[in-house]
Amino acid sequence: MGLRFKPVDAAFYDLFSEAAQHLVIGSGLLAEMLAAEGSAKEDVAKRMRAAEHDADETTHGIVRRVNTTFITPFDREDIYALASALDDVMDEMDEAVDLILLYEVETLPAALSQQVEVLARCAELTADAMPNLRSMQSLEEYWIEVNRLENTGDRNHRQILAHLFSGEYKTMEVLKLKDIVEALESAIDAFEKVANIVEQIAVKEG
């Protein structure tokens, strides 16, 4: 009698797609935060905290499934790494929203919207790419484009910092804004890490 193996648990693909959808929501809330005024900021921050909590639950769901599944669709280490990287993006976006609220920043440099646009595009691309983990097809364009966007984000980041230190802002404003700018940059970097992990998985499994 031949050996019978349990089928691969395909639920991981749905969970990764769910995690990516949280990032689309998060980038949208971040855009709202940049445009919000007064008490509206508190509402956006509250919804962002809820979205970040939902993202954490999805991440925990992935980890629990890894720990209870005999055969995973790809290496367990890669599943952990991808889940963690997706969660890091959400954490950084949540931090940016929280800092805007806590620092009571009323006027943000217009150039920050360019970074949020980069984040939104990365989120959309990631949400589109996650279902393709099932077949490991049509993923190369994803990581190439995210890497290109990360380079754009780096250029934007340097220009924003140069503007902050131009003398237009008071010292305390510079300190506050720099923290927000760095959180956005970290979120973009985290998206690049997601793309790099996807590339590693595709190379291994392809």
Side-chain angles (χ1 to χ4, degrees):
M1 185 175 181
L3 292 174
R4 298 179 65 187
F5 293 98
K6 292 171 63 178
V8 171
D9 188 343
F12 285 103
Y13 302 120
D14 294 333
L15 286 167
F16 281 125
S17 293
E18 183 179 299
Q21 286 299 326
H22 292 311
L23 303 185
V24 174
I25 293 170
S27 64
L29 288 168
L30 188 51
E32 277 192 55
M33 193 64 168
L34 263 62
E37 297 180 359
S39 60
K41 284 187 169 67
E42 294 181 8
D43 175 65
V44 176
K46 181 179 179 180
R47 286 186 283 135
M48 187 64 161
R49 283 192 292 272
E52 194 274 335
H53 174 75
D54 290 342
D56 280 345
E57 286 299 307
T58 300
T59 302
H60 295 155
I62 293 171
V63 172
R64 285 193 298 269
R65 205 157 197 101
V66 172
N67 293 336
T68 58
T69 299
F70 181 56
I71 302 177
T72 56
F74 41 89
D75 286 351
R76 294 172 188 274
E77 293 78 9
D78 290 331
I79 292 174
Y80 286 128
L82 183 54
S84 177
L86 288 164
D87 191 58
D88 286 346
V89 177
M90 195 67 175
D91 287 343
E92 295 294 347
M93 291 193 292
D94 177 53
E95 179 178 342
V97 166
D98 203 33
L99 288 173
I100 293 170
L101 178 68
L102 293 175
Y103 285 171
E104 298 180 344
V105 177
E106 293 301 326
T107 303
L108 291 161
L112 289 191
S113 63
Q114 296 174 2
Q115 292 295 69
V116 175
E117 287 173 6
V118 169
L119 283 167
R121 184 59 184 146
C122 286
E124 292 169 0
L125 289 167
T126 302
D128 289 342
M130 288 300 104
N132 293 334
L133 289 172
R134 289 179 181 270
S135 63
M136 295 295 166
Q137 302 297 314
S138 304
L139 286 168
E140 185 174 0
E141 290 182 6
Y142 161 66
W143 66 68
I144 289 173
E145 180 62 10
V146 170
N147 286 326
R148 186 193 68 79
L149 287 165
E150 194 274 336
N151 289 333
T152 298
D154 280 347
R155 288 193 295 273
N156 291 343
H157 181 246
R158 291 190 291 270
Q159 291 170 359
I160 292 168
L161 288 181
H163 181 60
L164 285 183
F165 290 105
S166 66
E168 180 179 334
Y169 297 92
K170 295 179 180 178
T171 302
M172 189 56 67
E173 289 179 314
V174 170
L175 293 175
K176 291 178 179 181
L177 291 171
K178 187 173 183 295
D179 281 351
I180 296 166
V181 169
E182 294 299 339
L184 294 176
E185 169 70 2
S186 294
I188 295 171
D189 288 344
F191 264 122
E192 184 183 37
K193 184 177 179 181
V194 170
N196 290 341
I197 293 170
V198 169
E199 180 179 7
Q200 292 168 14
I201 293 170
V203 169
K204 285 182 184 179
E205 303 296 326

